[in-house]
Short mmCIF file of all heavy atoms in Angstrom, two decimals:
data_model
loop_
_atom_site.label_atom_id
_atom_site.label_comp_id
_atom_site.label_asym_id
_atom_site.label_seq_id
_atom_site.Cartn_x
_atom_site.Cartn_y
_atom_site.Cartn_z
N LEU F 211 1.74 -0.09 3.30
CA LEU F 211 0.35 -0.06 2.89
C LEU F 211 -0.01 -1.30 2.08
O LEU F 211 -1.06 -1.92 2.29
CB LEU F 211 0.07 1.20 2.08
CG LEU F 211 -1.37 1.37 1.56
CD1 LEU F 211 -2.38 1.39 2.70
CD2 LEU F 211 -1.49 2.66 0.73
N ALA F 212 0.87 -1.71 1.18
CA ALA F 212 0.62 -2.90 0.36
C ALA F 212 0.48 -4.13 1.24
O ALA F 212 -0.37 -5.01 0.97
CB ALA F 212 1.73 -3.09 -0.65
N GLY F 213 1.26 -4.22 2.31
CA GLY F 213 1.16 -5.35 3.22
C GLY F 213 -0.20 -5.39 3.91
O GLY F 213 -0.79 -6.46 4.07
N ARG F 214 -0.72 -4.23 4.29
CA ARG F 214 -2.03 -4.20 4.95
C ARG F 214 -3.15 -4.51 3.95
O ARG F 214 -4.12 -5.20 4.30
CB ARG F 214 -2.25 -2.85 5.61
CG ARG F 214 -1.34 -2.61 6.82
CD ARG F 214 -1.60 -1.28 7.49
NE ARG F 214 -2.96 -1.19 8.06
CZ ARG F 214 -3.39 -0.15 8.76
NH1 ARG F 214 -2.56 0.87 8.99
NH2 ARG F 214 -4.62 -0.13 9.24
N VAL F 215 -3.02 -4.01 2.73
CA VAL F 215 -4.04 -4.30 1.72
C VAL F 215 -4.06 -5.78 1.37
O VAL F 215 -5.13 -6.41 1.29
CB VAL F 215 -3.80 -3.42 0.45
CG1 VAL F 215 -4.72 -3.86 -0.69
CG2 VAL F 215 -4.04 -1.95 0.79
N ALA F 216 -2.89 -6.37 1.17
CA ALA F 216 -2.81 -7.80 0.89
C ALA F 216 -3.31 -8.62 2.07
O ALA F 216 -3.99 -9.64 1.91
CB ALA F 216 -1.38 -8.18 0.53
N GLY F 217 -3.00 -8.13 3.29
CA GLY F 217 -3.46 -8.82 4.49
C GLY F 217 -4.97 -8.80 4.64
O GLY F 217 -5.55 -9.63 5.35
N ALA F 218 -5.62 -7.85 3.96
CA ALA F 218 -7.10 -7.79 3.98
C ALA F 218 -7.72 -8.70 2.94
O ALA F 218 -8.94 -8.69 2.76
CB ALA F 218 -7.55 -6.36 3.77
N GLY F 219 -6.88 -9.47 2.24
CA GLY F 219 -7.40 -10.44 1.28
C GLY F 219 -7.35 -9.99 -0.17
O GLY F 219 -7.85 -10.69 -1.05
N MET F 220 -6.73 -8.82 -0.46
CA MET F 220 -6.69 -8.33 -1.82
C MET F 220 -5.53 -9.01 -2.59
O MET F 220 -4.51 -9.38 -2.00
CB MET F 220 -6.48 -6.81 -1.85
CG MET F 220 -7.50 -6.01 -1.06
SD MET F 220 -9.21 -6.27 -1.56
CE MET F 220 -9.86 -7.09 -0.09
N THR F 221 -5.70 -9.15 -3.88
CA THR F 221 -4.67 -9.73 -4.75
C THR F 221 -4.25 -8.69 -5.78
O THR F 221 -4.91 -7.64 -5.96
CB THR F 221 -5.18 -10.99 -5.47
OG1 THR F 221 -6.34 -10.66 -6.22
CG2 THR F 221 -5.54 -12.06 -4.44
N ASP F 222 -3.17 -8.98 -6.50
CA ASP F 222 -2.58 -8.07 -7.50
C ASP F 222 -2.31 -6.71 -6.87
O ASP F 222 -2.84 -5.67 -7.28
CB ASP F 222 -3.50 -7.94 -8.71
CG ASP F 222 -2.78 -7.36 -9.94
OD1 ASP F 222 -1.60 -6.96 -9.79
OD2 ASP F 222 -3.39 -7.29 -11.01
N VAL F 223 -1.48 -6.73 -5.82
CA VAL F 223 -1.15 -5.53 -5.05
C VAL F 223 0.31 -5.17 -5.30
O VAL F 223 1.20 -6.00 -5.11
CB VAL F 223 -1.39 -5.76 -3.55
CG1 VAL F 223 -1.06 -4.49 -2.75
CG2 VAL F 223 -2.81 -6.21 -3.27
N THR F 224 0.57 -3.95 -5.70
CA THR F 224 1.91 -3.45 -5.99
C THR F 224 2.20 -2.25 -5.09
O THR F 224 1.28 -1.48 -4.77
CB THR F 224 2.03 -3.02 -7.47
OG1 THR F 224 1.64 -4.12 -8.29
CG2 THR F 224 3.43 -2.59 -7.80
N ALA F 225 3.45 -2.07 -4.71
CA ALA F 225 3.84 -0.92 -3.90
C ALA F 225 4.61 0.08 -4.74
O ALA F 225 5.31 -0.27 -5.68
CB ALA F 225 4.72 -1.38 -2.74
N ALA F 226 4.43 1.37 -4.40
CA ALA F 226 5.14 2.46 -5.07
C ALA F 226 5.66 3.41 -4.01
O ALA F 226 5.09 3.55 -2.93
CB ALA F 226 4.22 3.19 -6.05
N GLN F 227 6.73 4.12 -4.36
CA GLN F 227 7.34 5.02 -3.41
C GLN F 227 6.42 6.20 -3.08
O GLN F 227 6.34 6.63 -1.92
CB GLN F 227 8.67 5.55 -3.96
CG GLN F 227 9.39 6.51 -3.02
CD GLN F 227 10.75 6.92 -3.57
OE1 GLN F 227 11.28 6.31 -4.48
NE2 GLN F 227 11.31 7.97 -2.99
N ASP F 228 5.76 6.73 -4.08
CA ASP F 228 4.89 7.89 -3.87
C ASP F 228 3.75 7.85 -4.90
O ASP F 228 3.64 6.92 -5.70
CB ASP F 228 5.67 9.19 -3.96
CG ASP F 228 6.46 9.30 -5.27
OD1 ASP F 228 6.06 8.69 -6.28
OD2 ASP F 228 7.48 10.02 -5.28
N VAL F 229 2.90 8.87 -4.86
CA VAL F 229 1.74 8.88 -5.72
C VAL F 229 2.14 8.98 -7.19
O VAL F 229 1.53 8.33 -8.07
CB VAL F 229 0.77 10.02 -5.34
CG1 VAL F 229 -0.40 10.11 -6.30
CG2 VAL F 229 0.26 9.82 -3.91
N ALA F 230 3.13 9.79 -7.50
CA ALA F 230 3.57 9.93 -8.90
C ALA F 230 4.01 8.59 -9.47
O ALA F 230 3.63 8.23 -10.60
CB ALA F 230 4.69 10.96 -8.99
N GLU F 231 4.79 7.84 -8.73
CA GLU F 231 5.22 6.52 -9.20
C GLU F 231 4.04 5.57 -9.30
O GLU F 231 3.95 4.77 -10.25
CB GLU F 231 6.29 5.95 -8.27
CG GLU F 231 6.82 4.60 -8.75
CD GLU F 231 7.86 3.99 -7.80
OE1 GLU F 231 8.16 4.61 -6.76
OE2 GLU F 231 8.34 2.89 -8.10
N ALA F 232 3.13 5.63 -8.36
CA ALA F 232 1.95 4.77 -8.39
C ALA F 232 1.11 5.05 -9.64
O ALA F 232 0.61 4.12 -10.29
CB ALA F 232 1.12 4.98 -7.13
N LEU F 233 0.94 6.31 -9.99
CA LEU F 233 0.19 6.65 -11.19
C LEU F 233 0.87 6.09 -12.45
O LEU F 233 0.21 5.54 -13.34
CB LEU F 233 0.07 8.17 -11.33
CG LEU F 233 -0.98 8.86 -10.46
CD1 LEU F 233 -0.90 10.38 -10.67
CD2 LEU F 233 -2.36 8.37 -10.81
N ALA F 234 2.18 6.20 -12.51
CA ALA F 234 2.91 5.69 -13.66
C ALA F 234 2.73 4.18 -13.79
O ALA F 234 2.53 3.64 -14.90
CB ALA F 234 4.39 6.06 -13.55
N LEU F 235 2.79 3.47 -12.67
CA LEU F 235 2.60 2.02 -12.69
C LEU F 235 1.19 1.66 -13.11
O LEU F 235 0.98 0.71 -13.90
CB LEU F 235 2.92 1.43 -11.31
CG LEU F 235 4.39 1.46 -10.88
CD1 LEU F 235 4.51 1.04 -9.42
CD2 LEU F 235 5.23 0.57 -11.77
N ALA F 236 0.20 2.38 -12.59
CA ALA F 236 -1.20 2.07 -12.95
C ALA F 236 -1.46 2.32 -14.42
O ALA F 236 -2.13 1.53 -15.09
CB ALA F 236 -2.15 2.91 -12.08
N ARG F 237 -0.91 3.40 -14.94
CA ARG F 237 -1.12 3.72 -16.36
C ARG F 237 -0.42 2.70 -17.27
O ARG F 237 -0.95 2.35 -18.33
CB ARG F 237 -0.62 5.13 -16.65
CG ARG F 237 -1.55 6.21 -16.15
CD ARG F 237 -0.96 7.59 -16.27
NE ARG F 237 -1.95 8.63 -16.03
CZ ARG F 237 -1.70 9.81 -15.48
NH1 ARG F 237 -0.46 10.09 -15.09
NH2 ARG F 237 -2.65 10.68 -15.32
N ALA F 238 0.72 2.24 -16.84
CA ALA F 238 1.48 1.31 -17.68
C ALA F 238 0.83 -0.06 -17.79
O ALA F 238 1.04 -0.78 -18.78
CB ALA F 238 2.91 1.19 -17.14
N SER F 239 0.04 -0.42 -16.78
CA SER F 239 -0.46 -1.80 -16.73
C SER F 239 -1.95 -1.92 -17.01
O SER F 239 -2.47 -3.04 -17.11
CB SER F 239 -0.18 -2.40 -15.35
OG SER F 239 -0.82 -1.64 -14.32
N ARG F 240 -2.67 -0.82 -17.15
CA ARG F 240 -4.13 -0.95 -17.28
C ARG F 240 -4.53 -1.42 -18.67
O ARG F 240 -3.89 -1.13 -19.67
CB ARG F 240 -4.81 0.36 -16.94
CG ARG F 240 -4.61 1.45 -17.98
CD ARG F 240 -5.54 2.61 -17.70
NE ARG F 240 -5.18 3.76 -18.50
CZ ARG F 240 -5.92 4.85 -18.60
NH1 ARG F 240 -7.04 4.93 -17.92
NH2 ARG F 240 -5.54 5.85 -19.34
N ALA F 241 -5.66 -2.11 -18.72
CA ALA F 241 -6.25 -2.55 -19.99
C ALA F 241 -7.18 -1.46 -20.52
O ALA F 241 -7.53 -0.50 -19.81
CB ALA F 241 -7.01 -3.85 -19.77
N ASP F 242 -7.62 -1.63 -21.78
CA ASP F 242 -8.45 -0.60 -22.42
C ASP F 242 -9.78 -0.41 -21.71
O ASP F 242 -10.36 0.68 -21.76
CB ASP F 242 -8.70 -0.99 -23.88
CG ASP F 242 -7.44 -0.86 -24.74
OD1 ASP F 242 -6.52 -0.15 -24.31
OD2 ASP F 242 -7.40 -1.47 -25.82
N ASN F 243 -10.28 -1.46 -21.08
CA ASN F 243 -11.61 -1.37 -20.43
C ASN F 243 -11.50 -1.02 -18.94
O ASN F 243 -12.45 -1.19 -18.19
CB ASN F 243 -12.38 -2.67 -20.59
CG ASN F 243 -11.72 -3.84 -19.90
OD1 ASN F 243 -10.53 -3.78 -19.61
ND2 ASN F 243 -12.48 -4.89 -19.62
N GLU F 244 -10.34 -0.55 -18.53
CA GLU F 244 -10.11 -0.22 -17.13
C GLU F 244 -9.87 1.28 -16.97
O GLU F 244 -9.31 1.93 -17.85
CB GLU F 244 -8.93 -1.00 -16.56
CG GLU F 244 -9.18 -2.50 -16.51
CD GLU F 244 -7.92 -3.28 -16.14
OE1 GLU F 244 -6.81 -2.72 -16.21
OE2 GLU F 244 -8.07 -4.45 -15.77
N SER F 245 -10.27 1.80 -15.81
CA SER F 245 -10.04 3.19 -15.47
C SER F 245 -9.17 3.24 -14.20
O SER F 245 -8.97 2.23 -13.52
CB SER F 245 -11.36 3.91 -15.22
OG SER F 245 -12.17 3.91 -16.39
N ILE F 246 -8.70 4.42 -13.88
CA ILE F 246 -7.83 4.60 -12.71
C ILE F 246 -8.54 5.45 -11.67
O ILE F 246 -9.00 6.56 -11.95
CB ILE F 246 -6.48 5.25 -13.10
CG1 ILE F 246 -5.72 4.36 -14.09
CG2 ILE F 246 -5.63 5.51 -11.85
CD1 ILE F 246 -4.45 4.99 -14.61
N LEU F 247 -8.64 4.90 -10.47
CA LEU F 247 -9.20 5.60 -9.33
C LEU F 247 -8.09 5.93 -8.36
O LEU F 247 -7.33 5.04 -7.97
CB LEU F 247 -10.26 4.72 -8.62
CG LEU F 247 -10.75 5.18 -7.27
CD1 LEU F 247 -11.50 6.51 -7.35
CD2 LEU F 247 -11.66 4.11 -6.63
N VAL F 248 -7.99 7.19 -7.96
CA VAL F 248 -6.99 7.63 -6.97
C VAL F 248 -7.76 8.02 -5.71
O VAL F 248 -8.63 8.90 -5.74
CB VAL F 248 -6.19 8.84 -7.49
CG1 VAL F 248 -5.17 9.30 -6.45
CG2 VAL F 248 -5.50 8.50 -8.80
N THR F 249 -7.43 7.38 -4.59
CA THR F 249 -8.25 7.61 -3.39
C THR F 249 -7.47 7.31 -2.12
O THR F 249 -6.34 6.85 -2.15
CB THR F 249 -9.53 6.75 -3.48
OG1 THR F 249 -10.44 7.17 -2.45
CG2 THR F 249 -9.22 5.27 -3.33
N GLY F 250 -8.11 7.60 -0.97
CA GLY F 250 -7.56 7.21 0.33
C GLY F 250 -7.20 8.35 1.24
O GLY F 250 -7.09 8.16 2.45
N SER F 251 -7.01 9.57 0.69
CA SER F 251 -6.55 10.68 1.54
C SER F 251 -6.54 11.97 0.71
O SER F 251 -6.39 11.95 -0.51
CB SER F 251 -5.15 10.41 2.07
OG SER F 251 -4.62 11.53 2.73
N PHE F 252 -6.64 13.11 1.40
CA PHE F 252 -6.37 14.39 0.77
C PHE F 252 -4.96 14.39 0.19
O PHE F 252 -4.74 14.93 -0.90
CB PHE F 252 -6.50 15.52 1.79
CG PHE F 252 -7.87 16.09 1.94
CD1 PHE F 252 -8.76 15.55 2.86
CD2 PHE F 252 -8.31 17.16 1.18
CE1 PHE F 252 -10.03 16.08 3.02
CE2 PHE F 252 -9.57 17.70 1.33
CZ PHE F 252 -10.44 17.16 2.26
N LEU F 253 -4.01 13.81 0.92
CA LEU F 253 -2.63 13.81 0.45
C LEU F 253 -2.47 13.01 -0.83
O LEU F 253 -1.67 13.39 -1.71
CB LEU F 253 -1.73 13.21 1.53
CG LEU F 253 -1.55 14.02 2.82
CD1 LEU F 253 -0.77 13.23 3.85
CD2 LEU F 253 -0.86 15.35 2.53
N THR F 254 -3.23 11.95 -0.99
CA THR F 254 -3.15 11.13 -2.20
C THR F 254 -3.69 11.90 -3.40
O THR F 254 -3.07 11.93 -4.47
CB THR F 254 -3.97 9.82 -2.01
OG1 THR F 254 -3.62 9.26 -0.75
CG2 THR F 254 -3.64 8.83 -3.12
N VAL F 255 -4.84 12.55 -3.22
CA VAL F 255 -5.42 13.32 -4.31
C VAL F 255 -4.52 14.49 -4.66
O VAL F 255 -4.29 14.80 -5.83
CB VAL F 255 -6.84 13.77 -3.93
CG1 VAL F 255 -7.37 14.80 -4.94
CG2 VAL F 255 -7.78 12.60 -3.85
N ALA F 256 -3.99 15.18 -3.63
CA ALA F 256 -3.08 16.31 -3.89
C ALA F 256 -1.84 15.84 -4.64
O ALA F 256 -1.37 16.51 -5.58
CB ALA F 256 -2.68 16.97 -2.58
N GLY F 257 -1.30 14.68 -4.26
CA GLY F 257 -0.13 14.14 -4.97
C GLY F 257 -0.44 13.86 -6.43
O GLY F 257 0.40 14.11 -7.31
N ALA F 258 -1.64 13.36 -6.71
CA ALA F 258 -2.02 13.09 -8.10
C ALA F 258 -2.18 14.39 -8.89
O ALA F 258 -1.74 14.48 -10.05
CB ALA F 258 -3.32 12.30 -8.13
#
């Protein structure tokens, strides 16, 4: 998925094994003025 997102021209793209790991990475790196959006599938929201 990260390869396809980067291929669409996006930058600062990280890969995670699953949604739980992705949430941990997003929380660890976000700034105070940033929020976290979880999206893309029912499976993604259910995983969160």
